[in-house]
Amino acid sequence: MCAAALLWTLAIRPGTAQTPPAGAAAPGPAAESNFPVASDARLAGDAKQTRFILDLDKPIQFRAFALADPYRVVLDLPQVNFELAAGTGVTGRGLIKTFRYGLVMPGGSRIVLDLAGPAKIAKSYVLDAANGQPPRLVLELEAVDRTAFVQSLARESRPELRPGIAVTNVAARAATPVAVTQTVQAAPDARPVIVIDPGHGGVDNGTQAGGDVMEKNLVLGFGLALRDRIEQSGKYRVVMTRTDDTFVPLSDRVKIARSESAALFVSIHADALKRGEGDAQGATIYTLSDKASDAEAERLADAENKSDAIGGVNLTDEPTEVADILIELVQRETKTFSNRFARVLMGEMKNTARMHKHPLKSAGFRVLKAPDVPSVLVELGYVSNKGDLEHLVSESWRNKTVGSMAQAIDTFFAKRPATAGPGK
Ligand SMILES: [Zn+2]
């Protein structure tokens, strides 16, 4: 399992346009793995009965289950190379509004179907190749009313819903300290831990600019560059919540920060406004608050908090927040540090990056909710704004901005009293 996690490579790029023509013998990265290849996905039927069909190069096993609020069907598959045409899943048919696909963990892929209303999985099966047709995964949905839908959820012996990627990561790290520190039996690493959290990933593309520019790819590239820059000084240990195109639930991102006793958590995103919502520009730094600082911050937090629903995580399984006086005290201190870092970061970023006209905001971001880890969420800019997008895809802009963030981190830790942060 660990070996598989370590050997996992960047062989697949779900949803990108760089896919070979469907049905062609696929050269390039995909050929280097033995993962099953999905070459086409299509919908058939109407608003009463809708069928989802996925063409494969070999039969696979899978499981499918439904989720409510919003209505979704999730298909968990072994790791699959999706070589589907760009735009696949954007338009729906019948009961299926849209669908997404991507990696959820090393060895595991997922397809999430967004439903137009309650539906039950009438049949699901894999057909062997026959009559010139490739092996196919078929899922048949039937419209039901909400009561029947909810009853069918209760009857199901629910499989493990959580993709478990973070659990795998944490376990892998715990089991292989050698890989992290290189020195066996050395003194424990006392350097502050910085967790860098590139938003979205896998089935969750994040915001999208007109072409093929996806937030999940932009912020991953930025996050990895930031990691490399911060690690150069040797003063910090950096942990990434993801290093490839994998979906990680929001709560698992928070869990990584807490289990690492992180001294700082930085979530990286890029925003977008819909057409007709104006043309905002520049970077914004967000901290956690119960009440959003303005309507735009609230809209953004709602959008970012949808990540789990997009990725097919059952939100009702999330534990409710613990109200505890001790946690509140820690939270107050954490909040002070979060705000302080946000201000330092703004002071540095404004030298290199174009900032939003109100660059410091707050709202109820679920990913910022570790009670004991100072956390900020940075929206690097708007992919919907032409000038911002030029920056976001430019390597020189990225280098400059990564540099200013690294400087802010140095300043923050230089001024931090010894008692600051989780300080265990
Ligand atoms: Zn985002």
Side-chain angles (χ1 to χ4, degrees):
M1 190 61 205
C2 289
L6 294 171
L7 289 173
W8 156 241
T9 61
L10 296 160
I12 78 163
R13 310 253 326 260
T16 61
Q18 294 171 327
T19 48
E32 288 161 20
S33 72
N34 286 320
F35 297 123
V37 174
S39 53
D40 188 35
R42 56 195 175 276
L43 305 173
D46 53 36
K48 282 221 167 68
Q49 290 181 314
T50 309
R51 192 181 297 175
F52 171 85
I53 304 136
L54 185 70
D55 286 349
L56 297 156
D57 67 339
K58 58 182 106 162
I60 57 170
Q61 293 199 316
F62 74 105
R63 56 169 204 211
F65 52 92
L67 295 172
D69 306 320
Y71 296 117
R72 288 156 292 163
V73 167
V74 174
L75 287 82
D76 275 338
L77 323 170
Q79 186 165 339
V80 165
N81 284 343
F82 290 99
E83 296 180 356
L84 308 180
T88 300
V90 172
T91 47
R93 176 173 182 149
L95 290 161
I96 297 171
K97 280 199 298 194
T98 55
F99 62 90
R100 296 175 299 280
Y101 49 89
L103 200 65
V104 283
M105 64 181 114
S109 291
R110 173 171 282 188
I111 300 171
V112 182
L113 312 174
D114 292 319
L115 304 184
K120 71 167 192 199
I121 301 165
K123 279 182 192 160
S124 61
Y125 47 91
V126 173
L127 295 168
D128 288 327
N131 306 323
Q133 297 252 45
R136 274 152 296 159
L137 179 160
V138 182
L139 186 84
E140 295 183 14
L141 299 176
E142 275 176 27
V144 292
D145 60 27
R146 180 171 171 90
T147 314
F149 180 84
V150 171
Q151 277 168 358
S152 75
L153 292 186
R155 269 200 311 273
E156 265 175 39
S157 60
R158 182 66 61 78
E160 179 64 31
L161 297 182
R162 188 176 294 282
I165 176 65
V167 175
T168 310
N169 279 349
V170 171
R173 269 198 296 276
T176 55
V178 182
V180 177
T181 61
Q182 294 183 329
T183 45
V184 190
Q185 306 291 338
D189 191 339
R191 295 175 297 172
V193 174
I194 298 169
V195 173
I196 299 175
D197 174 50
H200 313 278
V203 288
D204 175 14
N205 294 332
T207 57
Q208 220 156 328
D212 293 321
V213 181
M214 288 187 227
E215 178 186 359
K216 66 172 181 178
N217 296 331
L218 284 178
V219 299
L220 177 60
F222 192 97
L224 292 170
L226 181 60
R227 174 194 66 185
D228 294 347
R229 183 69 62 97
I230 297 172
E231 279 182 341
Q232 276 173 17
S233 74
K235 288 191 280 188
Y236 314 101
R237 188 160 71 81
V238 181
V239 174
M240 304 288 296
T241 55
R242 69 180 180 99
T243 53
D244 56 27
D245 188 12
T246 299
F247 174 76
V248 184
L250 296 173
S251 57
D252 285 359
R253 297 171 192 255
V254 176
K255 245 182 249 163
I256 290 171
R258 301 201 67 199
S259 68
E260 295 284 351
S261 299
L264 186 64
F265 176 90
V266 182
S267 192
I268 309 286
H269 290 259
D271 201 357
L273 288 184
K274 290 205 182 79
R275 265 177 199 285
E277 283 182 1
D279 187 25
Q281 62 178 46
T284 313
I285 300 160
Y286 288 89
T287 49
L288 178 70
S289 70
D290 299 337
K291 207 173 165 300
S293 53
D294 61 29
E296 202 202 345
E298 186 159 9
R299 169 197 66 80
L300 182 77
D302 285 349
E304 298 292 7
N305 289 345
K306 281 204 182 88
S307 177
D308 282 354
I310 289 168
V313 175
N314 192 7
L315 300 174
T316 55
D317 280 358
E318 294 295 317
T320 49
E321 277 156 57
V322 192
D324 185 281
I325 186 72
L326 285 174
I327 286 187
E328 262 173 43
L329 283 171
V330 177
Q331 266 170 338
R332 207 171 304 162
E333 197 194 39
T334 302
K335 196 175 173 181
T336 306
F337 284 110
S338 301
N339 292 338
R340 185 176 300 167
F341 178 67
R343 283 195 302 274
V344 171
L345 184 57
M346 187 194 57
E348 288 297 338
M349 278 185 79
K350 70 172 196 277
N351 298 323
T352 55
R354 186 158 75 162
M355 302 301 289
H356 190 273
K357 60 178 188 256
H358 304 295
L360 288 180
K361 293 189 184 187
S362 58
F365 292 92
R366 293 183 55 221
V367 78
L368 299 181
K369 285 194 173 169
D372 47 1
V373 181
S375 304
V376 302
L377 183 147
V378 181
E379 296 281 346
L380 295 171
Y382 291 79
V383 298
S384 51
N385 177 271
K386 198 162 165 272
D388 276 10
L389 184 60
E390 274 168 19
H391 286 157
L392 290 167
V393 298
S394 137
E395 199 161 330
S396 71
W397 180 87
R398 186 165 81 187
N399 285 338
K400 279 191 297 182
T401 309
V402 157
S404 65
M405 281 197 181
Q407 181 58 51
I409 288 168
D410 267 349
T411 306
F412 176 68
F413 282 103
K415 287 187 181 155
R416 195 182 69 143
T419 55
K424 300 213 166 88

